[in-house]
Structures are given as structure tokens and as C-alpha cells.
């Protein structure tokens, strides 16, 4: 069970080239890309593991971390991913995650090219102090459907301290 979010002090702000993104590979059932059409997000999904109940954050603001101990797309479980809203000087991949609404779509493409579309069903913004008590709630399926859970920490646009957490859950369409 995840109860904390990893602190990333200085994530890289070097944006990968289109070629680097296009050539990115994963195992056939492993998430490869995450797309959010409404936000014009297309990101590589990096495999990560939870250490000591702490959800990892990617070390590049343009990537997404997938918790390898969670579900895989197409297998009926709960898939858990995380990303950054801001680096020190630039917005991260999830800078506008909190603007999504119920019904918005998120697409995960696996390494084998199969795509899975999820619809936003729940979005919560919680204070950083409440995170330890509420993070475990993001790891549950909704209505017994395959669920994608997305977590990011929010910070001011000037790269200031992270002050709250966005927890989003979406169900397989």
C-alpha cells in the first residue's frame, strides 16, 4: 500500500526528442505511452517500483512512472501511475491534470501496441498533510472495473514547494 510520495528534488527538464519518444520500447504487456487528448499529453511510461510504501515519481518532468506492483492494462486490475506537475523552471507532464473532468479520456498504449481507453470518474485535490491518510484510497477499483489511478503533486508555477496532491481515477471504457 502506498502511503507517501517520493520527493524529487531536481527532476530533469530536458525534453526528449520526437525520435527518442517514438523509439521508446517496453515489454508487450507493460504500459509504453500515456495520452491525454484534451491536454495534448503524450508521454513515455517508465517502469518503477514502490520502495517502503513510497510512490515513485519520474526523474524527468516529461515522463510518467508506472508502479510495477500495480495492474497492467487489459488485465482487470488497478493501474497506478504518477508524474510531475512542475520542475524547477518548466511545467511538467501533469501541470494541468487537475483541469480534467469526469468523462475525459486517458489512453494507455502497451508495448505490444494495444491501446486501452479510460474515462475520468473521480478527481480529488488533497492537501499534502492529508496525503498519508488518503493515498491508499487511490489504489482501489471503481465498480469492479479496471481502473487507472493517476497521482501528481502540485506546485506553484515558479517551481516552489509542492502544496497538494491530485489523485485521479478513471475506468476502462
Amino acid at each position: 500500500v502506498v502511503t507517501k510520495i517520493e520527493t524529487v528534488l531536481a527532476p530533469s527538464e530536458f525534453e526528449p526528442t520526437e525520435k527518442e519518444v517514438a523509439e521508446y520500447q517496453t515489454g508487450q504487456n507493460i504500459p509504453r505511452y500515456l495520452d491525454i487528448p484534451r491536454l495534448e499529453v503524450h508521454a513515455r511510461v517508465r517502469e518503477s517500483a514502490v520502495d517502503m510504501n513510497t510512490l515513485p515519481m519520474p526523474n524527468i518532468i516529461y515522463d510518467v512512472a508506472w508502479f510495477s506492483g500495480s495492474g497492467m492494462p487489459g488485465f482487470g486490475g488497478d493501474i497506478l501511475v504518477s508524474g510531475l506537475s512542475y520542475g524547477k523552471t518548466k511545467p511538467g507532464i501533469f501541470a494541468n491534470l487537475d483541469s480534467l473532468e469526469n468523462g475525459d479520456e486517458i489512453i494507455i498504449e502497451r508495448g505490444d501496441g494495444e491501446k486501452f481507453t479510460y474515462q475520468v470518474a473521480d478527481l480529488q485535490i488533497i492537501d499534502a498533510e492529508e496525503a498519508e491518510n488518503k493515498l491508499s484510497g487511490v489504489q482501489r477499483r471503481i465498480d469492479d472495473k479496471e481502473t487507472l489511478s493517476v497521482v501528481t503533486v502540485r506546485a506553484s508555477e515558479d517551481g516552489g514547494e509542492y502544496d497538494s496532491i491530485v489523485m485521479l481515477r478513471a475506468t476502462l471504457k
Side-chain angles (χ1 to χ4, degrees):
V1 172
V2 174
T3 57
K4 296 181 281 189
I5 293 179
E6 179 179 64
T7 302
V8 179
L9 298 176
S12 171
E13 293 184 344
F14 289 106
E15 189 168 2
T17 65
E18 285 184 29
K19 182 179 180 192
E20 289 171 327
V21 172
E23 292 177 348
Y24 179 66
Q25 298 294 316
T26 64
Q28 72 175 33
N29 293 325
I30 306 296
R32 179 179 178 202
Y33 297 120
L34 182 137
D35 294 291
I36 305 174
R38 186 166 153 238
L39 300 181
E40 299 180 5
V41 163
H42 177 67
R44 298 177 295 190
V45 179
R46 302 284 188 171
E47 186 172 352
S48 298
V50 169
D51 180 31
M52 300 298 292
N53 299 328
T54 303
L55 180 67
M57 284 288 160
N59 58 4
I60 299 173
I61 65 171
Y62 300 103
D63 285 344
V64 174
W66 165 65
F67 166 42
S68 61
S70 70
M72 292 186 288
F75 289 86
D78 181 36
I79 302 147
L80 181 58
V81 299
S82 59
L84 295 164
S85 60
Y86 282 91
K88 289 288 183 192
T89 64
K90 296 179 181 177
I93 201 72
F94 289 152
N96 297 310
L97 188 69
D98 58 353
S99 71
L100 291 178
E101 298 173 352
N102 286 359
D104 284 338
E105 294 184 344
I106 300 173
I107 301 160
I108 290 190
E109 179 180 331
R110 295 189 314 200
D112 63 4
E114 190 167 354
K115 294 182 181 182
F116 298 84
T117 301
Y118 302 84
Q119 284 190 304
V120 174
D122 179 49
L123 186 136
Q124 297 178 48
I125 300 171
I126 61 169
D127 291 331
E129 297 84 40
E130 297 177 36
E132 228 173 278
N133 296 328
K134 294 197 174 187
L135 269 177
S136 60
V138 79
Q139 298 169 254
R140 280 183 243 163
R141 291 189 305 161
I142 297 173
D143 298 332
D144 210 29
K145 295 179 181 176
E146 181 170 302
T147 303
L148 171 64
S149 299
V150 183
V151 178
T152 190
V153 289
R154 289 195 330 169
S156 58
E157 290 186 25
D158 63 2
E161 291 295 313
Y162 293 110
D163 59 5
S164 58
I165 296 166
V166 177
M167 295 192 322
L168 176 149
R169 294 187 311 148
T171 56
L172 186 62
K173 193 170 172 182

